[in-house]
Amino acid sequence: MRTRAGPARTNTRRRPPMTAEPTSRGRLDQPLAPKRRWLPEYDPESFGRTSERVARFLGTGRFIVWMTVVIVIWVVWNTWAPHALRFDPFPFIFLTLVLSLQASYAAPLILLAQNRQDDRDRVNLEQDRHQNERSIADTEYLTREIAALRMGLGEVATRDWIRSELQDLVKDMAERRQVFPRESDEADR
């Protein structure tokens, strides 16, 4: 068995030292393990649609009527019911807390719905602007084409122009006949 004699080859690439910890890159042939998150995940589009529905309901007369009915029942119950069944006595602190909680959730939902509507309006405005620009460009193009056609038609003989030229020729011929009568007309006389 023969061996080659010669200079020893050295590897010019450096390899990272082997460690017991996996590298941050991991293996490419395996999916990454899901990371633990402290906050729950949600679909922003679904949440936005739900907030718009809630905001739309909060802006109706039906909501005002139902809210009024609930408050009236709450106040009547806690005023006229037997003392053992009352759950929120006269200053109605719990009712105030419930209404504050409802308002604290309603305000951000309404703002979120308004922001989404603003985004839609902005997109519609941008589309309208592009449509207007296209319409203006088309109108300018058609205006230039009509001007070019008019300039071209200025050099083309029209029916009325030909008719007037023929009438002028007929008049000239009639005048020439009177000045220079035909020989056959003189022979007939």
Side-chain angles (χ1 to χ4, degrees):
M1 191 156 110
R2 285 186 166 172
T3 60
R4 279 208 233 170
R9 292 179 111 183
T10 58
N11 192 355
T12 58
R13 275 196 255 162
R14 289 187 131 334
R15 291 187 182 178
M18 297 300 280
T19 60
E21 296 177 348
T23 61
S24 63
R25 186 166 185 187
R27 291 186 53 171
L28 295 176
D29 62 340
Q30 294 180 353
L32 291 174
K35 295 179 181 177
R36 292 189 68 111
R37 298 183 187 249
W38 292 98
L39 299 174
E41 291 186 29
Y42 67 96
D43 179 22
E45 195 61 31
S46 173
F47 188 75
R49 284 192 303 268
T50 303
S51 69
E52 285 177 341
R53 279 190 221 117
V54 169
R56 204 171 293 126
F57 175 69
L58 291 177
T60 62
R62 180 182 297 164
F63 172 75
I64 304 247
V65 168
W66 280 110
M67 188 68 132
T68 304
V69 167
V70 166
I71 290 172
V72 166
I73 290 172
W74 187 296
V75 170
V76 167
W77 179 265
N78 286 303
T79 304
W80 298 98
H83 285 287
L85 298 176
R86 293 182 192 175
F87 55 90
D88 190 20
F90 169 63
F92 306 120
I93 295 173
F94 188 53
L95 175 63
T96 306
L97 177 68
V98 168
L99 292 175
S100 298
L101 183 66
Q102 181 267 332
S104 68
Y105 274 98
L109 289 176
I110 291 170
L111 289 175
L112 179 63
Q114 286 177 342
N115 288 341
R116 286 173 52 92
Q117 185 63 43
D118 287 345
D119 291 342
R120 278 194 299 270
D121 290 344
R122 192 175 304 114
V123 168
N124 288 339
L125 182 65
E126 192 65 30
Q127 289 174 349
D128 289 346
R129 186 175 296 129
H130 288 305
Q131 181 65 34
N132 288 341
E133 289 173 0
R134 283 193 299 263
S135 296
I136 289 170
D138 290 345
T139 303
E140 288 174 352
Y141 171 75
L142 290 174
T143 303
R144 286 191 302 272
E145 289 295 314
I146 289 173
L149 286 173
R150 282 186 177 167
M151 287 172 46
L153 280 177
E155 299 170 3
V156 173
T158 62
R159 184 177 2 157
D160 293 336
W161 182 79
I162 292 174
R163 192 174 284 148
S164 69
E165 289 295 314
L166 286 175
Q167 287 173 352
D168 290 344
L169 284 175
V170 168
K171 286 179 186 177
D172 283 346
M173 288 175 59
E175 289 175 3
R176 284 185 185 182
R177 227 184 241 170
Q178 290 175 355
V179 173
F180 302 108
R182 283 196 299 172
E183 296 172 5
S184 61
D185 289 342
E186 291 178 3
D188 290 341
R189 288 189 188 173

